[in-house]
Amino acid sequence: MNLYSDGKIIARTRFPSPNPKVELTVITYLSHGLKVKGMLAEPIGGGKYDGFLYLRGGIKNVGKVRPARVAQFAAEGFIVFAPYYRGNQGGEGNEDFGGEDREDAFAAFLVLKSMPRVGEIHIFGFSRGGVMALLTGIEFPEAASVVTWGGVSDMSLTYMERNDLRRMMKRVIGGTPQKYPERYQDRTPLYQLEKLTAPVLIIHGVMDENVSVEHAYRLERRLKALEKPAECWYFHEFTHYFPPAVNRRVVEDLSKWMKSQRKR
């Protein structure tokens, strides 16, 4: 436990669950001196389960943690914790798109690690959460696996692709990638993958216009160049969001893949 008691749980509040076999709790925990909130989803009953760190995409009210989604993964046999990130839903501080708010993901990993019922811990990131997942996997070599679904891997590429996000990114990051390349590189895990030890599963819709498949290709190329274990599931007919039936099947498949990855 560090100076800031990162990962210390300071409050729990029950939350209505959409699944009778899954219990939901809103957790308030410490992240670098800030009180941050997140949602915990646990299968009802005793026993030990793998941990599942769910790292959402978007920023602020875009891409908020959805109770039904975290309950869906818990129903696959995981104890799931999904941080809201700082400044959201009553949490302190300000979210900054993969900057200091990565500490909220790191502290959330420690929340799961502190739970007696949690065995292996897997990391999952969707969209912007892909950056958070990779950075967290780099920070914690004991992570059993990392999954990035429709995930950002290069912040400069996001700036170039998304005209609608440029104003927000300039404000939050403090400028453009042309003027401050080091700030964007700091938020780009491609430059730090030498430190990653967990196997990575990349899931991406080739028709994705929110996060282009080039993010997945760049991540795949870098991992393979470093001879890191990586598996890729590309879906040529889909965009950022998969049809419900396909989504359910992919959730089942990635859950099985995760459980096949063991560190201990």
Side-chain angles (χ1 to χ4, degrees):
M1 198 66 73
N2 67 17
L3 176 66
Y4 298 98
S5 297
D6 280 358
K8 180 181 179 182
I9 297 172
I10 56 177
R12 296 171 178 260
T13 306
R14 289 287 295 276
F15 190 93
S17 176
N19 187 324
K21 296 181 179 179
V22 174
E23 182 176 276
L24 297 185
T25 309
V26 175
I27 299 287
T28 304
Y29 67 103
L30 291 179
S31 171
H32 249 48
L34 297 174
K35 295 176 183 176
V36 179
K37 294 179 181 288
M39 179 163 285
L40 180 70
E42 301 175 271
I44 290 174
K48 205 165 184 177
Y49 295 89
D50 279 7
F52 187 115
L53 179 60
Y54 181 99
L55 298 170
R56 49 156 285 208
I59 187 168
K60 301 294 182 184
N61 289 325
V62 177
K64 287 199 301 188
V65 171
R66 293 183 292 121
R69 188 61 162 166
V70 294
Q72 181 185 22
F73 282 109
E76 293 293 329
F78 294 100
I79 293 177
V80 184
F81 188 50
Y84 297 159
Y85 307 144
R86 59 190 58 191
N88 291 309
Q89 295 173 256
E92 297 175 342
N94 290 298
E95 190 178 359
D96 63 351
F97 214 61
E100 292 184 1
D101 60 6
R102 71 185 66 179
E103 298 291 343
D104 307 340
F106 299 170
F109 188 97
L110 295 175
V111 168
L112 281 171
K113 197 172 177 180
S114 72
M115 294 181 172
R117 293 178 66 200
V118 170
E120 301 275 8
I121 300 177
H122 308 270
I123 305 169
F124 172 93
F126 178 74
S127 197
R128 189 269 280 205
V131 161
M132 305 290 271
L134 291 163
L135 291 172
T136 306
I138 290 164
E139 182 73 11
F140 294 97
E142 64 267 39
S145 71
V146 175
V147 175
T148 172
W149 185 339
V152 172
S153 69
D154 188 329
M155 277 293 186
S156 295
L157 181 59
T158 295
Y159 182 90
M160 299 306 294
E161 290 178 340
R162 294 291 299 271
N163 292 338
D164 57 323
L165 296 181
R166 287 183 185 174
R167 180 181 293 181
M168 177 276 291
M169 293 180 78
K170 282 192 284 189
R171 174 179 55 81
V172 170
I173 299 175
T176 68
Q178 292 79 16
K179 192 169 184 180
Y180 298 104
E182 71 285 352
R183 296 181 185 178
Y184 284 78
Q185 287 178 15
D186 179 61
R187 289 168 162 82
T188 296
L190 296 177
Y191 297 99
Q192 305 176 50
L193 290 176
E194 293 87 351
K195 304 172 190 172
L196 184 67
T197 60
V200 178
L201 172 61
I202 301 167
I203 303 170
H204 218 106
V206 174
M207 305 299 290
D208 195 335
E209 294 183 354
N210 293 60
V211 179
S212 77
V213 72
E214 179 60 24
H215 286 268
Y217 293 157
R218 290 185 183 187
L219 176 58
E220 178 187 6
R221 285 196 297 268
R222 185 74 180 127
L223 288 168
K224 289 187 174 176
L226 293 168
E227 299 183 336
K228 301 287 186 179
E231 190 167 328
C232 304
W233 299 351
Y234 293 120
F235 294 82
H236 291 271
E237 65 272 45
F238 301 137
T239 63
H240 201 52
Y241 302 102
F242 291 14
V246 178
N247 194 301
R248 286 193 295 271
R249 188 178 73 242
V250 175
V251 165
E252 292 172 2
D253 290 345
L254 78 85
S255 297
K256 289 174 185 172
W257 180 89
M258 277 184 169
K259 290 175 184 178
S260 72
Q261 311 300 322
R262 318 306 296 172
K263 274 288 176 77
R264 293 177 295 205

